[in-house]
Structures are given as C-alpha cells and as structure tokens.
Amino acid sequence: MTLQVYRLRRLLAATTVLLTVVVAGMYFYARSRAINVLKEVPNKIGYDIKQTASGFQFSKSDGKRTLFTIQASDLKQFKLDGRAELHNVNIVLYGRDSTRFDQIYGNDFAYDPKTGDVTAKGDVQIDLVANPAGLASPDQSTPKELTNPIHLKTRDLAFNRETGNASTDAQVEFRTPQASGTAVGVKYLSKSNTLTLGSQIHVVLTGTNAAVIEAMHGIITNEPREIVLDHPRLERDGGTTEADRAVFHLGTDNHVERVLATGNVSTQTRSLSGKGAASANRNDSAETDPAQEIRGRADQAEFLLTGKQDRLRQATLSGNVHFDQTGPQPMQGDAGRVIMEFAGQNQLQKVHAVDGAHLLQRAAGGSKPAAKGLATGPQNFELTAPVIDFTVAQGHSLQHAVTSGAAQITIAQAEAAPGGPQTSPGQRTVVTAGKFTAEFATSQGKNRLATIHGAPDVRVVNSGTGQPDRISTSESVAAVFLPQGGIDSVTQQGNVAYTDGQGPDKRMQAWANAARYSPVDQMLVLTGNSRVANGGMATTAKTIRINRATGDALAEGDVKTTYSELKEQPDGALLASSSPIHVTARSMTAHNSGGVTLYSGKARLWQDANIIQAPSIQFDRDRRFVTAQGTPTEPVQTILVQTEKAQTEKVQTEKAQTEKVPTEKAGPEKSPAAGKGQGHATRLSGSSPISITATKLTYADSERRIHYEGGVVAKSSDFTALAKTADAYLLPHSQIAGNQSFAGPGQLDRMVAQNDIVIQQTNRRAEGQKLVYTAAEDKFVLTGGPPSIFDAEHGKITGVSLTFFRRDDRVLVEGEASTPVVTQTRVAR
C-alpha cells in the first residue's frame, strides 16, 4: 500500500503539467478574442486602403482598463478580394481583471472576408503568464517579474469571425520549467468556451518526478473550469496509472483544486528490493532479488489539492478498492473506500480504510514447511474490520494502524508448493477483539507488520478439518509477526479461558492469568494461576502447555492433579473407592488421546489412605492402571495393611532337638524347630502396616495385583523381606471383613516374592528363592535355594520348604529323600 501512495503522489505532481493544457485552453480563449479584433481591422482602417501601413497598433478596452493590444510592423489589404495580411504580429492579452500578460506572436496572418477566417501562416508562438499585480499597476505595463511562463507553439490556426470558433489540425507543443508536451488537433468553440484537444495528448514531466502522461482525447471548459481527459495513462520508471476518464477541476487562478478519475482506475508499480535494488543502481551483473509489483484498482479516485503549488491534501479511492502486492511476500488489501491525507511536500500522513477493510499477507515464498511432528507450517495473515486507520511515517512507511468496530484476524496455513512437503490440511486460527492496534517496522528496506494488540473481548478460535473448534478468551491479546510473514506468537492476558470443544466426557478446559500461543507448533502456554480440567481430571501448576492440535498437555512447577467423578469398583482394591485420586509432582505430561498421564519429579499418588510415591508415576485414568518408576537411591514406595485377628491360640511347641534325616528314606521328613516349651500366642486386633519399596511398580486395579521389580524391600514392624521381584495381591473391598468402608487402605491378601529372598526378623534370618506370604495366617513359606533359616539360639536349618509364622517361633521344615532336612546347632564349649 505504501508504494501505491507513492505512485499517487507522482500522479498528483503530474497534474501540474496538465495545468499547462488548461492554460493552453485559456490561451485559445484569449486567442479567439484577439481574432475577433482582427476581423474588425478592415472596417477600422477602411477597405479603400491599398497602401502599406507601418507600425500598426490597435487596442480595445472596457472603458476602464485595456483588454488587449495588437501590434504589427505592417498591414496590407488587397482590393481585388478584400483579403488582408498582417506581418510581425504581437498580441498582448491582459484579461478583464488585468491579471494576465499573455502574448501571441507570429510572422504572418491572413484575413479572408469571404469565409470570415483569420488564419496564421506557419508557426504561432504563445506565452502564458499570470500577473496578479496587474490591477494595481499602470495600464498596459509589463510585469516586473515573468514567473514560470508557459510557452506554446502551433501552426495554421484558423479563426472564423462568424462563429467565433478556432481550430487547427496541426500539432500543438507546450513547455514549462517542469514539463513539456504535445497534442494533435485543437478546436475552440466560442459559445461554450470549450477547447478540445483532438488526440495523441502527450505530457513529459522532468526533474525528480519524471513521468509521461498520455491521453486519447481532452476537453477544456471555462464554465465549469475543467480539463477532461479520456483514457489518461501515467507512466514512470516504477510503474503506470490509468483510468477511463479523468476530470481536473480548476480554480480561478487556473490551479488544479480537484481531480476525479473514474472507470477502471488502475495502478501498477514495480520495484527492486534489498540487494537487487543496490545491484541495479550499480549497473553490475550480480544476481538480483525478484522484482516486487503492486497492482491496485478502484471504481473511482478523487484528489483534493490546495495552495499555489497544487499540493495534494487528500485522496479518496472508492468502489471495490483493491491492492495486490506480488514478490517474495505477497499482500492483498480491499476496502469499499480508502481516504488518504497528505501534508507538506505531498507527504502521505494518514490512510483511512472504511466499508469493510481487509488486509491479507501471505507467507514468504521461501518459508520452510512444518517440521516433522509439528501441526502446521508457514501461515497467511488476514485482518478485517469495518474501519482501519493507518499512520504513515516519512510519507511512505506504515507506522501505526487502529481498527474500529468488530475486528478479526485470521491465521491460515499456507498451501505447500507443488511437489514440496505437505503440511496438515485445514489448520486455521481466528482472533477477534473489540479493537486492534498494529505497529509496523522497517527492516532490509521493507515495511512490514511487527505487532498487533487487541482488546477487549478477545476470542481465539483454532479449527482444523474433522476437529472441533478450540476456543480461548481473554481481556486482551498481543500478536508478534515474523519478518518473513506470518505470526510468531499470540499472547492473551487477563482471565484467560480455553476449551477444546470435545464432548463433556473428553473436554479439555484451561484457565490462567496469561496464555501464549505459537501457531508454528500450535502450543498454548498458560501462566499465573494456571489450571486445566479434562473429563473429571483437574490440574494446577505454575506453567501449563497445551498442544491445541493434539490436546496433549504439559504442566510444570508444583503440579497438583485431582481425578474426580469416579465410580466405586467393588472388585477393586488399591484405587477402588469413589473418592478423588490425587497426584502431586514437579511436572506432568497428559495425552488426551489415550487418557494416560505421566507425572515426574517426586511424584505422589493417593486415594484415601492408599499412597504410591516415586520419581515418576504414569497413571491411566480409564483403567486405573499405575506404572511407577524409581531408582536405587529413590525407589518406589507403597504402604499396605493387613488386619490382625482378635483371638488367642494355644501353641504346643516341641522340645528342641537336632537330627539328621537319612537321605535314602523316601517321602518327606518333617522336623519341628526348636521350641521353648508349651505356651500361648496372642494375635492383636487392628491392622499392621507394611511398607514396600522397589525400583519399579505396576498396578492394575482390576487384577488387584501390585508388581514390584528391582531391589524389592518389604518392611513391617517386626520383619524385613528382600527380593528382586514381588507380587502383592490385595483383598477386594467386597470381601473385607466387617464391611470396611471403601475409604480404608488396601489390605494385603498374600505376597509372592522371587529371587534372592532374605527375611530378617529380630532373632532369625531366612533365605531362599521364592517366598509366599499369606496375611490371613501370618505365614511365610520359603522355598528354592534350598531355603534356610538361622536362629541365634538354635542354629541354622535347611530343607526343601520352610514354613514359619511371623508372631511366634514355630518353624516347619520339610525335606525329601534327595534333600533331607539339615539342622546345624552351635555347641558351647
């Protein structure tokens, strides 16, 4: 749009030259008056004059001031046909208000009384000069200063004394200090005071505004004072301007006050940018940048001028106004009407686009497509509003723009070049606000859009083919643009709210004080009291990132998640309650497609009294499936409970003995461990917690099984068990004694541990390769290795299977023929 205005400024400069044609018209008008005098010459001096009169002069006045004077070196009239000849003629026209000092001169004029024509023989010279001080000066005095006279030259001009019309088919030449030009054929009609330029109108502007104006036909009228050109065309080095018709409205001093161009007003501007322009100036052969072309059109264009120097004050384009810029960064503009205001030396200051203003900026031709994994590539930018006001710096660079009325910005994915990498189709972002304010910047010789700020009632809608609209609202928005075109980021401030448009069960919503959206990867970053909710899952964090294309979310800093709207699972255990499930961590990654969320950094998941802690926890909400990952120094930790029976049992222990079972005996051998005689073991009522740690944990609530891997350690108040892997099986809530509430902790049913088993109690230590612990009986069954148990008082016992009870000293050792029970007892000396 900037170059368009620059072209218009040159067009207005050209009106000064067209003024030449106007003054030429005034000349022919004055010329008609002079020839009216010539037709009276024979009567004034008498037809009977046959001799030559030297130093002839004739003047006509209105009784107050002289209107014109005619001087000739000699006059000759012929008796035979009444014709007369005037030689070395000079005519001075002062005008009725004495404000002119126009001169018409030539060598020979002829008068034919039969036709009434007074015809110049050969060339006629015309000098048109304004004389504003003429009325205050003595009558017929020469102006003290002849300022910028307009000189015209033609030949064979014929004037008819009966009709008052004058014409010639010859070429007319005119010249001013700023321009020169020609036309072919001139006709003057006295009754209408109309001067017609027949054809081939050609005006050449010189100096800094070098250009050529051509027209097919022209008419100059006195009432109204106008110049009308048919099919005018302005050409300059940078482009062209043309229309079906142009009307130049003149003031009383023949200055152009208004220009009205109508019918297919079009402009075309070409320029070289960057290093290409520099190369062109150096006339070298270096490779140049692609030429940039700007084309414009309108149904009508009006230009208002002011001052004696015909300076442009205002230009108005109306009716389907359109601008189209080609080159590396294409741009289009449309409006019902565009008003441009000028100041100083025809410098553009303001542009007022109304009646549906529209601006479209396409991504630069060399923009890279979307990288693999990103949702979109280069973008096109589009701005629409009822009114857009632009402020221009230095007459040619856009500086500031403000919209009025409901405005809209559209960011659409650019189409990939044929044969090039294809990006995701249909991605589109629409930003609306009550008002937008834009700032422009100039870099590498290009004037480009830099930032846009919008407020209030901001709404950002992102849509894609086959996807619901993702919508965010806020109090204000700010967009930052890339140098090559397209938007770098959109930042919303104040009561930001976001929704992805899914159904209630899958819908993602977010809230924050601020949000930053990047179209290139469609990432929305929430900061300040940020919160996101998705299908019964709510998360708060310092920062939340949402991919608006996939719905995935990443939260960082003091992450807190609550899963609500849960149903009771009677056959479940650890996460079977309808109570909310809570998770805290340093960061969170949620995948919207599968409902799986990963928490990292001191993660902690709990429901009621059931807790899982680990460096990272992955939670599948739909299946209530947990995968926790730890390290040897920071393992996964869970706490389970087992209910203790409130009863007292009589335990008969046997006398300690040491024996060796013969290996050849078939069948199992059983040997009771050393006892302390007969006694009673009392089981306490209530529950006993068991803490289990490992490097990795997986849990499926539907199976009620917790699987531990890597450095498994199970600790209770009176024992510690070590293993490489372990599976803890929990009781379903429907089978818990006493109909315990679902809010209670998960209760251990049994535990199976594998590989390198070590069980440590206060007075004994057992080792083996497989351990089965049954909570209801408080019983350990150790096998594999073979298993062994060491008691500080009774020594070490080895067998095929060791069964011992957690709260008493009973040990059942089983052996077989091939692997007899072996008891080693210390002997005191």
Side-chain angles (χ1 to χ4, degrees), residues 324-325 328-332 360-365 367 379-381 414 484-486:
D324 188 357
Q325 175 181 294
Q329 193 170 340
M331 181 182 295
Q332 294 178 3
L360 171 63
Q361 184 180 57
R362 299 189 182 277
S367 298
Q379 319 99 41
N380 298 329
F381 164 80
Q484 67 270 25

Side-chain angles (χ1 to χ4, degrees), residues 274 452 489:
I452 280 186
S489 64

